[in-house]
Amino acid sequence: MFPGATVDRETASYVVVGAPLDATTTFQPGTRFGPDRIRRFSRTYDDYDHRTDSHFSDLGVHDAGDVQPWDDVNAYLDHLAAELRSVALDGAVPITLGGEHTVTYAGVEAVDPDTLVLADAHLDLRDEYDGNPWNHACVTRRALSVADRAIIVGARTGSPAEWERAAEADVEVVAPEDAGDWLDEVATDPDAFAGESVYCSIDIDGADPGYAPGTGTMEPFGLDPREMRDLVRTVAPHADGFDVVEVNDRDDGQAAALAGKLVREFVYAHADAGTGDE
């Protein structure tokens, strides 16, 4: 159980769902261990958050456990999307613990947002990778079949075809060095995401691997943890769904610890804005 997730599903405002998919990882596997590691390395965190003057255990979080994957990725994503959609239909916010980034598609399909905001080292805009359109390197491209636009914060690598796709009007790329200015603009703009439904996805490789080495495809020159925290705090009040993905077991817990902290920051910020009270 995610620490502090103490309420029943029927009364929950937030429902944590593990999605330990590890089917299309292209370098270091191990995302199947991500949900359990995120839960484990979140055990030491204080329940109380001074910034919002709130206790995590008072904010209506339920842990529904893991939706176990199988060989058919498409069928699994459909099933996962149905599980997450049921959370949304119950008036709660789905929070997915990955698992490879492909699981974000299920969250996007469940929430059907106008805007997808991601932290990611990679553009993930490939139409296919090694002949597979459902590879984790294609997830943002697939998600744009549902969401109207994507904002990719921290992206610093991609193929020529991906950068060409990123230049289209429905994609905005915020380089790591520009993340602070972008966050300041969004935080001070009262019309940011006005009238929009937003889904927020955190690929842990958006962080510089010096902070989160436990991920499949490390890419240097990334975001620092405070920038990722500020991204979550800024987007959370507008978000109807959230995930953190691509955590594996190939470090001493740094990536999982950061992921778990970002989950807590999302709930604190979302609840503090009053968006979890409907």
Side-chain angles (χ1 to χ4, degrees):
M1 182 181 77
F2 191 88
T6 57
V7 304
D8 294 335
R9 169 69 182 271
E10 293 74 19
T11 59
S13 297
Y14 306 91
V15 176
V16 175
V17 177
L21 184 65
D22 195 6
T24 74
T25 307
T26 47
F27 184 49
Q28 296 189 123
T31 54
R32 70 193 65 188
F33 304 114
D36 283 345
R37 284 178 71 82
I38 293 168
R39 293 178 177 110
R40 175 187 171 193
F41 285 95
S42 297
R43 291 175 187 166
T44 62
Y45 296 139
D46 285 328
D47 191 52
Y48 177 70
D49 179 57
H50 179 68
R51 186 180 73 91
T52 59
D53 189 26
S54 59
H55 289 82
F56 189 84
S57 57
D58 290 338
L59 298 179
V61 184
H62 172 78
D63 190 337
D66 292 352
V67 177
Q68 292 295 335
W70 60 93
D71 291 344
D72 189 331
V73 173
N74 282 3
Y76 174 70
L77 292 175
D78 286 344
H79 178 63
L80 179 60
E83 293 290 328
L84 299 174
R85 190 178 299 111
S86 72
V87 173
L89 290 173
D90 287 340
V93 177
I95 297 174
T96 307
L97 309 180
E100 65 175 70
H101 206 173
T102 312
V103 303
T104 294
Y105 177 81
V108 170
E109 186 178 282
V111 170
D112 192 17
D114 300 301
T115 299
L116 170 62
V117 180
L118 313 93
D120 200 340
H122 310 90
L123 293 173
D124 286 348
L125 288 169
R126 297 173 186 265
D127 194 41
E128 54 83 21
Y129 189 89
D130 284 343
N132 182 6
W134 292 101
N135 185 280
H136 70 142
C138 310
V139 63
T140 305
R141 183 72 166 258
R142 299 285 83 80
L144 280 167
S145 68
V146 180
D148 294 332
R149 64 174 180 144
I151 302 171
I152 312 169
V153 182
R156 48 200 184 270
T157 188
S159 69
E162 286 180 283
W163 284 109
E164 184 177 349
R165 179 65 182 86
E168 296 184 24
D170 60 347
V171 178
E172 178 181 356
V173 178
V174 181
E177 57 269 27
D178 298 326
D181 290 340
W182 182 84
L183 287 166
D184 287 343
E185 290 176 11
V186 173
T188 57
D189 181 2
D191 295 323
F193 307 117
E196 293 185 60
S197 170
V198 177
Y199 186 94
C200 183
S201 175
I202 302 295
D203 185 331
I204 209 68
D205 71 26
D208 190 274
Y211 299 110
T215 193
T217 313
M218 293 181 285
E219 188 71 32
F221 312 133
L223 302 170
D224 68 42
R226 289 191 184 91
E227 289 172 323
M228 298 186 83
R229 176 203 67 186
D230 291 346
L231 171 62
V232 170
R233 286 180 178 177
T234 299
V235 177
H238 310 281
D240 297 319
F242 178 76
D243 67 48
V244 59
V245 299
E246 294 287 347
V247 172
N248 68 22
D249 61 337
R250 292 172 178 260
D251 67 2
D252 293 323
Q254 298 97 315
L258 176 57
K261 197 70 171 179
L262 293 174
V263 170
R264 296 174 76 90
E265 288 290 340
F266 175 85
V267 174
Y268 285 132
H270 191 275
D272 188 56
T275 41
D277 297 335
E278 291 114 20

